[in-house]
Amino acid sequence: MRRALVALILALPLAVPAGLRAQSDFVTTRFELYLDALRKQAGIPGLSAVIVQDDGIAWEAGLGQHDLEAGIPVTPDTPFYIADLTSTLSATLVLQCIEEGRTELDDPVTLPAGSPAASATVLDLLTHSPAPGAAFRYDPARFAALTPVIERCTHDNLKEAISRRLLDRLAMTRSVPGQDVTTIQPSDFPSEVLATYDAVLRQTARPYRVDRRGRASVSQFPAATLDAASGLISTARDLAAFSIALDTRTLLHDDTLAAAWSAPEGASSTKFSLGWFVQVYNGQPVVWHFGYAPDASSSLFIHLPARHKTLILLANSDGLAAAFSLPNGDLLTSPYARLFLSLFG
């Protein structure tokens, strides 16, 4: 049965007649049905999903549970640990710094002790390039070296910079800049903000490890603090606000975003640009990123610039990413992506 389901999903580009694509209710109902089947097949306890169209949410769903023991269902407003999907917000801050003339792409960045190289440029880190002109090699730990770049530019620590420039500005009220934000003393945040963060953290989806038989057991998140690569707590609805702000050029100038969402010159068919993976599907660009915390959580963000459409998926296990070649830059290895693109791409 499971194999038949996967085969059906992979065949969707041929199985869904063109006339049905215009019937949005029909398509989103089928999308939710297949998405939930994929969730169950992967053993993902809970999945939050949103589709953004133009400047609003066109469809949303909560599938499964964010706390199996307590029987609490997932909603589109459930907070999740989004792992390295955090880097898309950090990249936005770096690009804002460049627009403001506070940072340059060729500025050198000192790398942490133990790194293969002593330094890299801002461009190298944004594009996951191990050396100037080299093909990308996805490395979130190396990307995290952009943390001091952001802090020097904004004159704030990273938690405050993300909060002030993105979360507060976009009313992302269910997002928290790191699990340890309420315990660091002295705090950079007023008590009422810390109280809000604490309430969101208490409602965050529990992380689960799923074994080969699909059995889930409570796990733990990785390091609690926030850096440029990872650590943000957010919701599908909050990330929808981020997507809309990018697509409407609220956060970045048109030419900056065009550069961030375009493949570097001379790159192969699989590419990584300024903070984003960039591919082509059926002749149109696809801009995307993912998050992966082994045995804890995963996330997927797929944007179709030409259609002004975005899919956001957040899970409380690693089932959205662990079994696929997403770090190699191949979105089409993901059945979740294939499902979305076949119906909406």
Side-chain angles (χ1 to χ4, degrees), residues 66-312:
H66 86 71
D67 186 326
L68 292 174
E69 291 68 32
I72 303 174
V74 168
T75 75
D77 218 20
T78 298
F80 286 80
Y81 181 88
I82 68 169
D84 28 337
L85 191 56
T86 303
S87 64
T88 59
L89 283 81
S90 300
T92 300
L93 293 182
V94 173
L95 294 174
Q96 287 178 344
C97 289
I98 291 171
E99 288 183 344
E100 295 164 6
R102 299 172 183 265
T103 303
E104 300 290 340
L105 285 174
D106 58 0
D107 284 351
V109 181
T110 301
L111 300 179
S115 299
S119 66
T121 66
V122 171
L123 178 61
D124 292 336
L125 298 180
L126 277 177
T127 57
H128 287 277
S129 297
F136 90 93
R137 185 177 67 234
Y138 187 69
D139 188 348
R142 196 166 183 263
F143 190 95
L146 286 168
T147 301
V149 173
I150 296 170
E151 293 178 338
R152 283 195 299 271
C153 162
T154 61
H155 303 292
D156 280 321
N157 66 58
L158 182 63
K159 295 176 187 293
E160 179 70 10
I162 281 187
S163 294
R164 179 170 55 83
R165 286 181 166 239
L166 296 177
L167 307 186
D168 294 348
R169 182 178 178 184
L170 303 179
M172 296 172 66
T173 58
R174 300 274 290 168
S175 298
V176 180
Q179 298 172 77
D180 60 353
V181 68
T182 61
T183 60
I184 296 174
Q185 297 297 330
S187 177
D188 296 298
F189 298 96
S191 58
E192 60 270 21
V193 173
L194 292 176
T196 299
Y197 286 161
D198 184 65
V200 173
L201 289 172
R202 292 176 185 274
Q203 297 167 31
T204 300
R206 298 188 77 178
Y208 288 93
R209 176 185 296 107
V210 178
D211 66 18
R212 293 182 178 180
R213 297 184 179 181
R215 297 173 300 189
S217 57
V218 178
S219 182
Q220 291 184 334
F221 293 119
T225 198
L226 176 79
D227 60 35
S230 189
L232 187 71
I233 304 294
S234 193
T235 71
R237 284 180 181 165
D238 275 7
L239 290 171
F242 173 60
S243 175
I244 291 167
L246 286 172
D247 209 31
T248 57
R249 309 317 192 249
T250 301
L251 295 175
L252 296 169
H253 298 161
D254 190 63
D255 55 346
T256 302
L257 197 59
W261 286 355
S262 299
E265 269 188 52
S268 63
S269 59
T270 299
K271 316 164 185 85
F272 197 94
S273 192
L274 302 177
W276 295 89
F277 290 92
V278 181
Q279 280 183 263
V280 174
Y281 176 82
N282 282 351
Q284 69 169 313
V286 181
V287 179
W288 62 279
H289 212 293
F290 73 99
Y292 172 47
D295 293 327
S297 70
S298 52
S299 52
L300 190 60
F301 186 115
I302 305 171
H303 180 61
L304 307 178
R307 296 183 180 271
H308 302 284
K309 189 183 292 289
T310 301
L311 171 68
I312 298 161

